[in-house]
Coordinates of all heavy atoms in Angstrom, one line a residue:
M1400 N -27.3 -25.3 -8.5 CA -27.8 -24.9 -7.2 C -27.0 -23.7 -6.8 O -25.9 -23.6 -6.8 CB -27.6 -26.1 -6.2 CG -28.2 -25.8 -4.8 SD -28.1 -27.2 -3.8 CE -29.1 -26.6 -2.5
P1401 N -27.8 -22.7 -6.3 CA -27.1 -21.4 -5.9 C -26.2 -21.6 -4.6 O -26.4 -22.6 -3.9 CB -28.3 -20.5 -5.5 CG -29.4 -21.3 -5.4 CD -29.2 -22.5 -6.1
D1402 N -25.4 -20.7 -4.4 CA -24.5 -20.8 -3.1 C -25.4 -20.7 -2.0 O -26.4 -20.1 -1.9 CB -23.5 -19.6 -3.1 CG -22.4 -19.6 -4.2 OD1 -22.2 -20.8 -4.7 OD2 -21.9 -18.6 -4.5
P1403 N -25.0 -21.5 -0.9 CA -25.8 -21.5 0.3 C -25.7 -20.1 1.0 O -24.8 -19.3 0.9 CB -25.1 -22.5 1.2 CG -23.8 -22.7 0.6 CD -23.8 -22.3 -0.8
I1404 N -26.7 -19.9 1.8 CA -26.8 -18.6 2.6 C -25.9 -18.8 3.8 O -26.1 -19.7 4.6 CB -28.3 -18.3 3.0 CG1 -29.1 -18.1 1.8 CG2 -28.3 -17.1 4.0 CD1 -30.6 -18.1 2.0
R1405 N -25.0 -17.8 4.0 CA -24.1 -17.9 5.1 C -24.7 -17.0 6.3 O -25.0 -15.9 6.1 CB -22.7 -17.3 4.8 CG -22.0 -18.2 3.7 CD -20.7 -17.6 3.4 NE -19.8 -17.7 4.4 CZ -19.3 -16.7 5.0 NH1 -19.6 -15.4 4.6 NH2 -18.4 -16.8 6.0
C1406 N -24.9 -17.6 7.5 CA -25.5 -16.9 8.6 C -24.6 -16.9 9.8 O -23.7 -17.7 10.0 CB -26.8 -17.4 8.9 SG -26.9 -19.1 9.7
V1407 N -24.9 -16.0 10.7 CA -24.3 -16.0 12.0 C -25.4 -16.0 13.0 O -26.4 -15.3 12.9 CB -23.4 -14.6 12.2 CG1 -23.0 -14.5 13.6 CG2 -22.2 -14.7 11.3
I1408 N -25.2 -16.8 14.1 CA -26.2 -16.8 15.1 C -25.6 -16.0 16.3 O -24.5 -16.3 16.8 CB -26.4 -18.3 15.6 CG1 -27.0 -19.1 14.5 CG2 -27.4 -18.3 16.8 CD1 -27.1 -20.6 14.6
V1409 N -26.4 -15.1 16.9 CA -26.0 -14.3 18.0 C -27.0 -14.4 19.2 O -28.1 -14.0 19.0 CB -25.8 -12.8 17.6 CG1 -25.3 -12.0 18.8 CG2 -24.9 -12.7 16.4
D1410 N -26.6 -15.0 20.3 CA -27.5 -15.1 21.4 C -26.6 -15.4 22.7 O -25.6 -16.2 22.5 CB -28.5 -16.2 21.3 CG -29.7 -16.2 22.2 OD1 -29.5 -16.0 23.4 OD2 -30.8 -16.2 21.7
D1411 N -26.9 -14.7 23.8 CA -26.0 -14.9 25.0 C -26.4 -16.2 25.7 O -25.8 -16.6 26.7 CB -26.2 -13.8 25.9 CG -27.6 -13.5 26.4 OD1 -28.5 -13.7 25.5 OD2 -27.7 -13.2 27.6
E1412 N -27.5 -17.0 25.2 CA -27.8 -18.1 25.9 C -27.5 -19.4 25.0 O -28.0 -19.6 23.9 CB -29.4 -18.2 26.1 CG -29.8 -17.1 27.1 CD -31.3 -17.2 27.2 OE1 -31.9 -18.2 27.1 OE2 -31.9 -16.1 27.6
P1413 N -26.5 -20.2 25.4 CA -26.0 -21.3 24.6 C -27.1 -22.3 24.2 O -27.1 -22.7 23.0 CB -24.9 -22.0 25.5 CG -24.5 -20.9 26.4 CD -25.7 -20.0 26.6
P1414 N -28.1 -22.6 25.0 CA -29.2 -23.5 24.5 C -30.0 -22.9 23.4 O -30.3 -23.7 22.5 CB -30.1 -23.7 25.8 CG -29.2 -23.3 26.9 CD -28.2 -22.3 26.5
A1415 N -30.2 -21.6 23.4 CA -30.9 -21.0 22.2 C -30.0 -21.1 21.0 O -30.6 -21.4 19.9 CB -31.2 -19.5 22.6
R1416 N -28.8 -20.9 21.1 CA -27.9 -21.0 20.0 C -27.8 -22.4 19.4 O -27.9 -22.6 18.2 CB -26.4 -20.6 20.3 CG -26.2 -19.1 20.5 CD -24.8 -18.6 20.4 NE -23.9 -19.4 21.2 CZ -23.6 -19.1 22.4 NH1 -24.1 -18.1 23.1 NH2 -22.7 -19.9 23.1
R1417 N -27.8 -23.4 20.3 CA -27.8 -24.8 19.9 C -29.1 -25.2 19.2 O -29.1 -25.9 18.2 CB -27.6 -25.8 21.1 CG -26.1 -25.8 21.6 CD -25.9 -26.9 22.6 NE -26.7 -26.8 23.8 CZ -26.4 -26.2 24.9 NH1 -25.2 -25.6 24.9 NH2 -27.2 -26.2 25.9
L1418 N -30.2 -24.7 19.7 CA -31.5 -25.0 19.1 C -31.5 -24.4 17.7 O -31.9 -25.2 16.8 CB -32.7 -24.5 19.9 CG -34.0 -24.6 19.3 CD1 -34.4 -26.1 19.0 CD2 -35.1 -24.0 20.2
L1419 N -31.2 -23.2 17.5 CA -31.3 -22.6 16.2 C -30.3 -23.3 15.2 O -30.6 -23.5 14.1 CB -31.0 -21.1 16.3 CG -31.1 -20.3 15.0 CD1 -32.5 -20.5 14.4 CD2 -31.0 -18.8 15.3
K1420 N -29.1 -23.6 15.7 CA -28.1 -24.2 14.9 C -28.7 -25.7 14.4 O -28.5 -26.0 13.3 CB -26.8 -24.4 15.7 CG -25.7 -24.9 14.8 CD -24.4 -24.8 15.6 CE -23.2 -25.3 14.8 NZ -21.9 -25.2 15.4
R1421 N -29.3 -26.4 15.3 CA -29.8 -27.6 15.0 C -31.0 -27.5 14.0 O -31.0 -28.2 13.0 CB -30.4 -28.4 16.3 CG -30.8 -29.8 16.0 CD -31.1 -30.6 17.2 NE -32.2 -30.0 18.0 CZ -32.1 -29.5 19.2 NH1 -31.1 -29.5 19.9 NH2 -33.2 -29.0 19.8
L1422 N -31.9 -26.5 14.1 CA -32.9 -26.3 13.1 C -32.3 -25.9 11.8 O -32.8 -26.4 10.7 CB -33.9 -25.2 13.7 CG -34.7 -25.5 14.9 CD1 -35.4 -24.3 15.4 CD2 -35.7 -26.6 14.6
L1423 N -31.4 -25.0 11.8 CA -30.8 -24.6 10.4 C -30.0 -25.7 9.7 O -29.9 -25.7 8.6 CB -29.9 -23.4 10.7 CG -30.6 -22.1 11.2 CD1 -29.6 -21.0 11.5 CD2 -31.5 -21.6 10.0
A1424 N -29.5 -26.6 10.6 CA -28.8 -27.8 10.0 C -29.6 -28.7 9.1 O -29.1 -29.5 8.3 CB -28.1 -28.6 11.1
Q1425 N -30.9 -28.6 9.3 CA -31.9 -29.4 8.5 C -32.0 -28.8 7.1 O -32.7 -29.5 6.3 CB -33.2 -29.4 9.2 CG -33.2 -30.0 10.5 CD -34.5 -30.0 11.3 OE1 -35.6 -29.7 10.7 NE2 -34.5 -30.1 12.6
R1426 N -31.5 -27.6 6.9 CA -31.6 -27.0 5.5 C -30.3 -27.1 4.8 O -29.2 -26.9 5.3 CB -32.0 -25.5 5.7 CG -33.3 -25.4 6.5 CD -33.8 -24.1 6.3 NE -33.8 -23.6 4.9 CZ -34.9 -23.3 4.2 NH1 -36.1 -23.3 4.8 NH2 -34.8 -22.9 3.0
D1427 N -30.4 -27.5 3.5 CA -29.3 -27.6 2.7 C -28.8 -26.2 2.1 O -27.7 -26.1 1.6 CB -29.5 -28.5 1.4 CG -29.8 -29.9 1.9 OD1 -29.3 -30.3 2.9 OD2 -30.5 -30.6 1.1
D1428 N -29.6 -25.2 2.2 CA -29.4 -23.9 1.6 C -28.8 -22.9 2.5 O -28.6 -21.7 2.2 CB -30.6 -23.3 0.9 CG -31.7 -23.2 1.8 OD1 -31.8 -23.8 2.8 OD2 -32.7 -22.5 1.4
I1429 N -28.5 -23.3 3.8 CA -28.0 -22.4 4.9 C -26.8 -23.0 5.5 O -26.8 -24.2 5.9 CB -29.1 -22.1 6.0 CG1 -30.3 -21.4 5.3 CG2 -28.5 -21.2 7.0 CD1 -31.4 -21.1 6.2
I1430 N -25.7 -22.2 5.7 CA -24.5 -22.6 6.4 C -24.4 -21.7 7.6 O -24.4 -20.4 7.5 CB -23.3 -22.5 5.6 CG1 -23.4 -23.6 4.4 CG2 -22.0 -22.8 6.4 CD1 -22.2 -23.5 3.5
V1431 N -24.2 -22.2 8.8 CA -23.9 -21.4 10.0 C -22.4 -21.1 9.9 O -21.6 -22.0 10.2 CB -24.3 -22.1 11.3 CG1 -23.8 -21.1 12.5 CG2 -25.7 -22.4 11.3
A1432 N -22.0 -19.9 9.6 CA -20.6 -19.5 9.4 C -19.9 -19.3 10.7 O -18.8 -19.5 10.9 CB -20.5 -18.3 8.5
A1433 N -20.7 -18.8 11.8 CA -20.2 -18.5 13.1 C -21.3 -18.3 14.1 O -22.4 -18.1 13.7 CB -19.3 -17.3 13.0
E1434 N -20.9 -18.2 15.3 CA -21.8 -17.9 16.5 C -21.1 -16.9 17.4 O -19.8 -16.8 17.4 CB -22.1 -19.2 17.3 CG -22.7 -20.3 16.6 CD -22.9 -21.5 17.4 OE1 -23.3 -21.4 18.7 OE2 -22.7 -22.6 17.0
A1435 N -22.0 -16.1 18.1 CA -21.4 -15.2 19.0 C -22.3 -15.2 20.3 O -23.5 -15.4 20.1 CB -21.4 -13.8 18.4
G1436 N -21.7 -15.0 21.5 CA -22.4 -15.1 22.7 C -22.7 -13.8 23.4 O -23.3 -13.7 24.5
S1437 N -22.3 -12.7 22.8 CA -22.4 -11.3 23.3 C -22.5 -10.3 22.2 O -22.1 -10.6 21.0 CB -21.3 -10.9 24.3 OG -20.1 -10.6 23.6
G1438 N -22.9 -9.1 22.6 CA -23.0 -8.1 21.5 C -21.7 -7.7 21.0 O -21.5 -7.5 19.7
R1439 N -20.7 -7.5 21.8 CA -19.3 -7.1 21.4 C -18.8 -8.2 20.4 O -18.2 -7.9 19.5 CB -18.5 -6.8 22.6 CG -18.8 -5.6 23.3 CD -17.7 -5.1 24.2 NE -18.1 -4.1 25.0 CZ -18.4 -2.8 24.7 NH1 -18.2 -2.5 23.4 NH2 -18.8 -2.0 25.6
E1440 N -18.9 -9.5 20.9 CA -18.4 -10.6 20.1 C -19.2 -10.6 18.7 O -18.6 -10.9 17.7 CB -18.7 -11.9 20.8 CG -18.1 -13.1 20.1 CD -18.3 -14.3 20.9 OE1 -18.9 -14.4 22.0 OE2 -17.9 -15.4 20.3
A1441 N -20.4 -10.3 18.7 CA -21.2 -10.3 17.5 C -20.6 -9.3 16.6 O -20.5 -9.6 15.3 CB -22.7 -9.9 17.8
V1442 N -20.4 -8.1 17.0 CA -19.9 -7.0 16.1 C -18.6 -7.5 15.4 O -18.4 -7.5 14.2 CB -19.6 -5.7 16.8 CG1 -18.9 -4.7 16.0 CG2 -20.9 -5.1 17.3
D1443 N -17.7 -8.0 16.2 CA -16.4 -8.5 15.6 C -16.6 -9.7 14.7 O -16.0 -9.8 13.6 CB -15.5 -9.0 16.8 CG -15.0 -7.8 17.6 OD1 -15.0 -6.7 17.1 OD2 -14.6 -8.1 18.7
T1444 N -17.5 -10.6 15.1 CA -17.8 -11.8 14.3 C -18.4 -11.5 12.9 O -18.0 -12.0 11.9 CB -18.6 -12.8 15.0 OG1 -18.0 -13.2 16.3 CG2 -19.0 -14.1 14.2
I1445 N -19.4 -10.5 12.9 CA -20.1 -10.1 11.7 C -19.1 -9.4 10.8 O -19.1 -9.6 9.5 CB -21.2 -9.2 12.1 CG1 -22.3 -10.0 12.8 CG2 -21.8 -8.5 10.8 CD1 -23.4 -9.1 13.5
R1446 N -18.2 -8.5 11.3 CA -17.2 -7.9 10.5 C -16.3 -8.9 9.9 O -15.8 -8.7 8.7 CB -16.5 -6.8 11.3 CG -17.3 -5.6 11.6 CD -16.6 -4.6 12.4 NE -17.4 -3.4 12.6 CZ -17.2 -2.6 13.5 NH1 -16.3 -2.8 14.4 NH2 -18.1 -1.6 13.7
L1447 N -15.9 -9.9 10.6 CA -15.0 -10.9 10.2 C -15.4 -11.9 9.1 O -14.9 -12.1 8.1 CB -14.4 -11.7 11.4 CG -13.3 -12.7 11.1 CD1 -12.1 -12.1 10.7 CD2 -13.1 -13.6 12.3
T1448 N -16.7 -12.3 9.3 CA -17.3 -13.3 8.5 C -18.1 -12.8 7.3 O -18.3 -13.4 6.3 CB -18.2 -14.2 9.2 OG1 -19.2 -13.6 9.8 CG2 -17.4 -15.0 10.3
G1449 N -18.7 -11.5 7.4 CA -19.5 -11.0 6.3 C -20.7 -11.9 5.9 O -20.9 -12.2 4.7
P1450 N -21.6 -12.3 6.9 CA -22.6 -13.1 6.6 C -23.7 -12.5 5.7 O -23.8 -11.3 5.6 CB -23.2 -13.5 8.0 CG -22.9 -12.3 8.8 CD -21.6 -11.8 8.2
D1451 N -24.5 -13.3 5.2 CA -25.7 -12.9 4.4 C -26.8 -12.5 5.3 O -27.6 -11.7 5.1 CB -26.2 -14.0 3.4 CG -25.1 -14.3 2.4 OD1 -24.5 -13.5 1.8 OD2 -24.8 -15.6 2.3
V1452 N -27.0 -13.3 6.4 CA -28.0 -13.2 7.4 C -27.4 -13.3 8.8 O -26.5 -14.1 9.0 CB -29.1 -14.3 7.2 CG1 -30.2 -14.2 8.3 CG2 -29.7 -14.2 5.8
V1453 N -28.0 -12.5 9.8 CA -27.7 -12.6 11.2 C -28.9 -12.9 12.0 O -29.9 -12.1 11.9 CB -27.0 -11.4 11.7 CG1 -26.7 -11.4 13.2 CG2 -25.7 -11.0 10.9
F1454 N -28.9 -14.0 12.7 CA -30.0 -14.2 13.6 C -29.6 -13.6 15.0 O -28.7 -14.1 15.7 CB -30.3 -15.7 13.8 CG -30.8 -16.4 12.6 CD1 -29.9 -17.0 11.6 CD2 -32.1 -16.4 12.3 CE1 -30.4 -17.5 10.4 CE2 -32.7 -17.0 11.2 CZ -31.8 -17.5 10.2
L1455 N -30.2 -12.4 15.3 CA -29.7 -11.5 16.4 C -30.7 -11.5 17.5 O -31.8 -11.0 17.4 CB -29.4 -10.2 15.8 CG -28.9 -9.1 16.7 CD1 -27.5 -9.5 17.3 CD2 -28.7 -7.8 15.9
D1456 N -30.2 -11.9 18.7 CA -31.0 -11.7 20.0 C -31.0 -10.3 20.3 O -30.0 -9.5 19.9 CB -30.3 -12.6 21.1 CG -31.1 -12.5 22.4 OD1 -32.4 -12.3 22.4 OD2 -30.5 -12.8 23.4
I1457 N -32.0 -9.8 21.0 CA -32.1 -8.4 21.3 C -31.5 -8.1 22.7 O -30.7 -7.2 23.0 CB -33.5 -7.9 21.3 CG1 -34.1 -8.0 19.9 CG2 -33.6 -6.4 21.8 CD1 -33.4 -7.2 18.8
A1458 N -31.9 -8.9 23.7 CA -31.4 -8.7 25.1 C -30.1 -9.5 25.4 O -30.2 -10.7 25.6 CB -32.6 -9.0 26.0
M1459 N -29.1 -8.7 25.4 CA -27.7 -9.4 25.6 C -26.9 -8.4 26.5 O -27.1 -7.2 26.5 CB -27.1 -9.6 24.3 CG -27.7 -10.6 23.4 SD -26.7 -11.0 21.9 CE -26.8 -9.4 21.1
P1460 N -25.9 -9.0 27.1 CA -25.0 -8.2 27.9 C -24.1 -7.4 26.9 O -23.9 -7.7 25.8 CB -24.2 -9.2 28.7 CG -24.3 -10.4 28.0 CD -25.6 -10.4 27.3
E1461 N -23.4 -6.4 27.5 CA -22.5 -5.5 26.8 C -23.2 -4.6 25.8 O -23.2 -3.5 26.0 CB -21.3 -6.3 26.1 CG -20.5 -7.1 27.2 CD -19.5 -8.0 26.5 OE1 -19.2 -7.9 25.3 OE2 -18.8 -8.7 27.2
L1462 N -23.5 -5.2 24.7 CA -24.3 -4.4 23.7 C -25.5 -5.2 23.3 O -25.5 -6.5 23.2 CB -23.5 -4.3 22.3 CG -22.2 -3.6 22.3 CD1 -21.5 -3.7 21.0 CD2 -22.4 -2.1 22.7
N1463 N -26.8 -4.6 23.3 CA -27.9 -5.3 22.9 C -28.0 -5.3 21.4 O -27.3 -4.8 20.7 CB -29.2 -4.6 23.5 CG -29.5 -3.2 23.0 OD1 -29.4 -3.0 21.9 ND2 -29.9 -2.4 23.9
G1464 N -29.0 -6.1 20.9 CA -29.1 -6.2 19.5 C -29.2 -5.0 18.7 O -28.7 -4.9 17.6
F1465 N -29.9 -4.0 19.3 CA -30.0 -2.7 18.5 C -28.7 -2.0 18.5 O -28.4 -1.4 17.4 CB -31.1 -1.9 19.1 CG -32.5 -2.4 19.0 CD1 -33.2 -2.8 20.1 CD2 -33.1 -2.5 17.8 CE1 -34.4 -3.4 19.9 CE2 -34.4 -3.0 17.6 CZ -35.0 -3.5 18.7
E1466 N -27.9 -2.1 19.5 CA -26.6 -1.5 19.5 C -25.7 -2.2 18.5 O -24.8 -1.6 17.9 CB -26.0 -1.5 20.9 CG -26.8 -0.6 21.9 CD -26.5 -0.7 23.3 OE1 -26.2 -1.9 23.7 OE2 -26.4 0.3 24.0
V1467 N -25.8 -3.5 18.4 CA -25.0 -4.3 17.5 C -25.4 -3.8 16.1 O -24.5 -3.6 15.2 CB -25.3 -5.9 17.5 CG1 -24.7 -6.5 16.4 CG2 -24.8 -6.4 18.9
L1468 N -26.7 -3.6 15.7 CA -27.1 -3.2 14.4 C -26.5 -1.8 14.1 O -26.0 -1.5 13.0 CB -28.6 -3.0 14.4 CG -29.4 -4.4 14.2 CD1 -30.8 -4.1 14.3 CD2 -29.0 -5.1 13.0
A1469 N -26.5 -0.9 15.1 CA -25.9 0.5 15.0 C -24.4 0.4 14.6 O -23.9 1.3 14.0 CB -26.2 1.3 16.1
S1470 N -23.8 -0.6 15.2 CA -22.3 -0.7 15.0 C -22.0 -1.1 13.6 O -21.0 -1.0 13.0 CB -21.7 -1.7 16.0 OG -21.8 -1.2 17.3

């Protein structure tokens, strides 16, 4: 079996993060490596964890999703 996909969930709304985490937990091939609740936190978290996939909200405080991508 191949290595699981490591992902980061980024959303400023905790209920949205919880829902996505619960849905992803149903899969054996995906591991949630970390979560972030703001754009600035997302940039740091992504750099630190080096995920394969990022589930990224667009409308967030500090930095929006497009600004996170640019970083």
Side-chain angles (χ1 to χ4, degrees):
M1400 183 172 191
D1402 290 338
I1404 298 167
R1405 297 177 66 250
C1406 73
V1407 169
I1408 299 172
V1409 181
D1410 198 308
D1411 61 320
E1412 297 180 25
R1416 289 197 312 269
R1417 283 193 300 270
L1418 174 61
L1419 186 51
K1420 190 173 183 177
R1421 189 171 62 241
L1422 292 170
L1423 292 172
Q1425 298 174 19
R1426 302 200 44 125
D1427 294 333
D1428 58 343
I1429 298 177
I1430 293 175
V1431 177
E1434 298 177 39
S1437 72
R1439 290 199 191 285
E1440 185 182 356
V1442 171
D1443 293 339
T1444 301
I1445 292 165
R1446 287 182 178 154
L1447 182 67
T1448 61
D1451 301 306
V1452 174
V1453 177
F1454 293 91
L1455 180 61
D1456 186 19
I1457 298 300
M1459 294 184 293
E1461 298 176 9
L1462 297 174
N1463 67 39
F1465 294 109
E1466 293 167 323
V1467 170
L1468 287 174
S1470 293

